[in-house]
Amino acid sequence: MRVINILPILTLGISLISASPLHPRQAAAPPMGQWDIVGDTKIATMHIFRANNKEIYMIDKLEVNKIKQANGNPAISGVYNIETNEVRALDLTTDTFCSAGSFFGNGTLLHAGGAEAGLGYNPGYQSVRFITPSDPNADWSEIPDGMVNSRWYPAMASLPSGNVLIMGGSAKGTGKNNDAINNPTYEIWTIGGGQPQPVNFPLLVDSMPYNLYPFLHVLPNFDNKQLAFVFANDHGVVYDFDAGVVVSNVPKLPGGIRSYPLTGNSVLLPLRPSLNYKPVVMICGGNTVMEITSPALASCGRIDPTDPNAQWEMDNFGGTGRVMPDSVLLPTGKVLYLNGGQTGYAGYHQGPKDNPLYLCDNPAFTPFIYDPETKEWTTNLVPSTIARLYHSVATLLSDGRVWVSGSNPQGNVQLGTKYPTEYRAEMFTPPYLQTGLTNPVITSVAGSTTLDARIPVTYNQVVEVTITTGQVNSFITAAVINTGFFTHSQGFSQRYVMCKITSAVYDPNNQNYVTLNIEMPPNPTIIPPGPSYLYILDNDVPATFSVPISLQASA
Ligand SMILES: *[C@@H]1O[C@H](CO)[C@@H](O)[C@H](O)[C@H]1NC(C)=O
Ligand SMILES: [Cu+2]
């Protein structure tokens, strides 16, 4: 008889290993993972988000991309179909250059900010834009002067209320921020509400000039509070967005500067019921000075910002300095770091196209995988062949692969240069899909066998999920993942919550059929309402696809 193991929540082994330096793998081991060039994005992918199991929404800045929108202007936004590798152009009227996005709890994405007019487009500095990917032929609607003031390089987050936070930015495109253009405020867009008023946010004054695209993570709690960790330059705060007060200051992160143009990466590590959803933030990479030859930071710091004695625990960034790294939370609860370069900082190249001087060079071709539990780095992964520098992105797919695109360190499309405007879409297959073990298949969720439309679930709901397994000794785990909105090394609202599996029963007539009871996250501070995905894994091998769900504030 086959044995089905589920994660024993209360006895989950918690690693007690303290900060470990590198654990080099055997030199002889062949590198793991696989890269495939899969398609042509036709639009440079400065910003992307995945909207369902087959579509990635792409947003660029104003430039003459390969396709046009309906009115004949060059398209700057489109939908990439992962199954067909085809692109559908979307219609915009304002410039989206260095903007941000996040979902409302109702399934509409709010996108905000941008820059000056051109190519038939209006200015986008104050624009807000809405799109509901579940609509047939979804397209943008815009309010060009939606925001009271301008935001280029703002950060955004979905809040526990289902509303969307927009924070910071500057009134103009700039190499680094300055007081004349700084916008040290935030605003909260509410479902059904009108234009919000900006609120002052002092961290964005005292972190000058390195405060653009501040890092922003909503923090779990059991007090129904809208708390977030906000970090810019080399320090951060915990802030209460209902009370409008700083709850605590977090110590300075040593090593250098982590925000644009010395861009590092910040990720909220997976939240686990066994650790009572203790939030640990990991910030990696960046640089010390805006110099082309300056080696990127090879350090990471991790911290629980809610700990009253919060201290940074420093780690080595897998042994390689990186500026502009992207991080993708994998279904296994590990973090994939990829893209970026090993020297310099973010920005366009200097000099002519024929003889450009790139601000960031020495591309980091090899992805790393970080295990937040053991603190080990897996670095013997196959390198990509494509440089992914300024304006490159990556996102997790439904089947556990990672889609990677972009790189465009110039103001206008340039092809045939050392680091061109990059239109090749690439797929990274992580080692967990190369084990030879059979992927589980999800066959129903909450009684529904239609698994490509979002299934509504509520907090704490115990959801019945049926799967088929093909492994001899199954070990089933489950997680809810918000795959986030990616731009400029940021994964806005990206989150991973491991789920309790309260029971697993297999069909006596067919040992491959298993019925699971999976408990959804306990409240909207753990993961805000709106679109997410339910991933099921068997011995760390993800199901053939994950199921789009929609977390609802109430039944
Ligand atoms: C969600 O709320 C936003 C903000 O009020 C609104 O623009 C959008 O139309 C709503 N979406 C749906 C699907 O109701
Ligand atoms: Cu940019």
Side-chain angles (χ1 to χ4, degrees):
M1 180 173 284
R2 288 190 38 235
V3 180
I4 301 286
N5 295 303
I6 58 172
L7 190 65
I9 289 305
L10 298 173
T11 57
L12 172 64
I14 297 156
S15 167
L16 297 174
I17 302 166
S18 58
S20 55
L22 265 185
H23 290 253
R25 303 283 154 147
Q26 275 183 315
M32 299 177 288
Q34 183 180 317
W35 288 95
D36 295 288
I37 297 169
V38 293
D40 180 342
T41 62
K42 298 194 166 71
I43 289 163
T45 55
M46 186 180 281
H47 326 75
I48 60 166
F49 67 96
R50 178 158 71 84
N52 50 50
N53 277 3
K54 57 173 189 239
E55 290 177 321
I56 290 171
Y57 280 62
M58 311 179 287
I59 304 155
D60 190 19
K61 64 176 172 353
L62 296 188
E63 61 189 326
V64 184
N65 282 307
K66 295 183 178 180
I67 52 173
K68 293 183 183 342
Q69 62 176 29
N71 69 1
N73 288 336
I76 60 168
S77 180
V79 184
Y80 186 98
N81 185 310
I82 303 157
E83 291 167 1
T84 63
N85 296 305
E86 278 167 9
V87 175
R88 171 170 76 91
L90 297 175
D91 290 331
L92 281 168
T93 63
T94 68
D95 181 3
T96 48
F97 175 41
C98 299
S99 47
S102 204
F103 275 101
F104 285 110
N106 68 5
T108 295
L109 180 108
L110 178 67
H111 182 258
E116 66 274 4
L119 296 176
Y121 286 80
N122 296 319
Y125 286 112
Q126 290 172 249
S127 279
V128 288
R129 312 173 185 89
F130 304 83
I131 200 161
T132 307
S134 57
D135 286 350
N137 296 311
D139 215 327
W140 293 102
S141 71
E142 287 174 274
I143 310 177
D145 55 355
M147 293 188 288
V148 170
N149 45 37
S150 297
R151 297 188 189 274
W152 179 85
Y153 268 73
M156 288 175 70
S158 304
L159 292 174
S161 56
N163 297 326
V164 178
L165 172 67
I166 311 176
M167 174 174 282
S170 67
K172 254 178 95 175
T174 178
K176 70 177 178 194
N177 209 355
N178 66 71
D179 293 340
I181 56 174
N182 189 28
N183 183 350
T185 67
Y186 68 86
E187 59 193 272
I188 295 174
W189 283 74
T190 58
I191 293 175
Q195 182 183 54
Q197 287 305 307
V199 178
N200 287 329
F201 197 72
L203 176 80
L204 295 179
V205 175
D206 65 42
S207 55
M208 282 290 282
Y210 304 111
N211 67 356
L212 293 174
Y213 278 135
F215 302 154
L216 194 50
H217 305 288
V218 167
L219 295 171
N221 63 82
F222 289 88
D223 307 316
N224 199 23
K225 287 187 173 172
Q226 303 206 88
L227 302 174
F229 176 56
V230 189
F231 182 101
N233 191 336
D234 63 359
H235 63 285
V237 295
V238 174
Y239 191 83
D240 181 328
F241 284 90
D242 293 318
V245 294
V246 172
V247 176
S248 62
N249 288 285
V250 169
K252 186 172 150 160
L253 172 57
I257 294 153
R258 313 288 179 164
S259 302
Y260 175 85
L262 304 167
T263 306
N265 180 279
S266 182
V267 64
L268 176 66
L269 297 176
L271 302 170
R272 293 169 186 273
S274 58
L275 298 177
N276 205 25
Y277 306 98
K278 177 184 170 68
V280 179
V281 172
M282 173 116 147
I283 296 178
C284 292
N287 211 324
T288 47
V289 285
M290 287 171 66
E291 277 172 21
I292 288 174
T293 55
S294 176
L297 292 180
S299 68
C300 300
R302 46 183 275 176
I303 200 163
D304 172 358
T306 64
D307 181 338
N309 301 310
Q311 294 297 327
W312 292 98
E313 180 186 328
M314 298 306 291
D315 198 356
N316 177 320
F317 196 2
T320 303
R322 276 185 210 239
V323 63
M324 299 184 282
D326 285 300
S327 63
V328 176
L329 289 166
L330 299 173
T332 49
K334 299 182 174 69
V335 187
L336 178 71
Y337 285 99
L338 72 173
N339 298 348
Q342 300 176 71
T343 50
Y345 57 102
Y348 293 152
H349 71 68
Q350 297 173 352
K353 177 191 168 196
D354 299 339
N355 188 22
L357 181 60
Y358 292 96
L359 300 188
C360 173
D361 208 324
N362 299 298
F365 289 109
T366 305
F368 290 175
I369 292 175
Y370 174 71
D371 183 336
E373 290 190 286
T374 64
K375 300 174 183 172
E376 285 193 9
W377 293 90
T378 301
T379 60
N380 66 326
L381 298 172
V382 174
S384 168
T385 55
I386 301 176
R388 302 287 186 184
L389 299 170
Y390 191 39
H391 297 146
S392 57
V393 288
T395 191
L396 176 66
L397 297 186
S398 174
D399 62 5
R401 290 180 300 167
V402 175
W403 195 85
V404 184
S405 68
S407 190
N408 193 14
Q410 41 258 331
N412 297 300
V413 172
Q414 286 182 8
L415 306 172
T417 57
K418 186 177 175 193
Y419 300 127
T421 304
E422 187 56 70
Y423 289 105
R424 286 175 292 175
E426 224 176 349
M427 200 76 87
F428 179 64
T429 302
Y432 52 70
L433 292 171
Q434 298 182 309
T435 61
L437 294 171
T438 307
N439 305 67
V441 180
I442 304 174
T443 49
S444 75
V445 173
S448 174
T449 53
T450 306
L451 300 177
D452 53 358
R454 275 186 196 283
I455 295 176
V457 295
T458 55
Y459 293 94
N460 259 325
Q461 183 185 344
V462 176
V463 176
E464 189 180 279
V465 177
T466 59
I467 61 169
T468 61
T469 67
Q471 296 188 26
V472 178
N473 286 300
S474 284
F475 183 89
I476 309 292
T477 50
V480 170
I481 303 179
N482 180 332
T483 53
F485 179 106
F486 288 87
T487 189
H488 293 84
S489 303
Q490 304 257 352
F492 298 125
S493 301
Q494 182 180 211
R495 264 171 123 76
Y496 179 115
V497 184
M498 182 161 254
C499 293
K500 292 182 194 172
I501 302 182
T502 55
S503 71
V505 176
Y506 50 90
D507 186 334
N509 299 318
N510 187 331
Q511 307 264 311
N512 285 333
Y513 295 169
V514 186
T515 301
L516 306 166
N517 275 309
I518 301 179
E519 207 172 292
M520 291 297 106
N523 72 56
T525 72
I526 310 295
I527 184 162
S532 276
Y533 299 87
L534 176 64
Y535 283 80
I536 308 281
L537 299 93
D538 190 355
N539 286 308
D540 267 354
V541 178
T544 49
F545 59 89
S546 59
V547 174
I549 58 170
S550 175
L551 282 154
Q552 315 279 310
S554 58

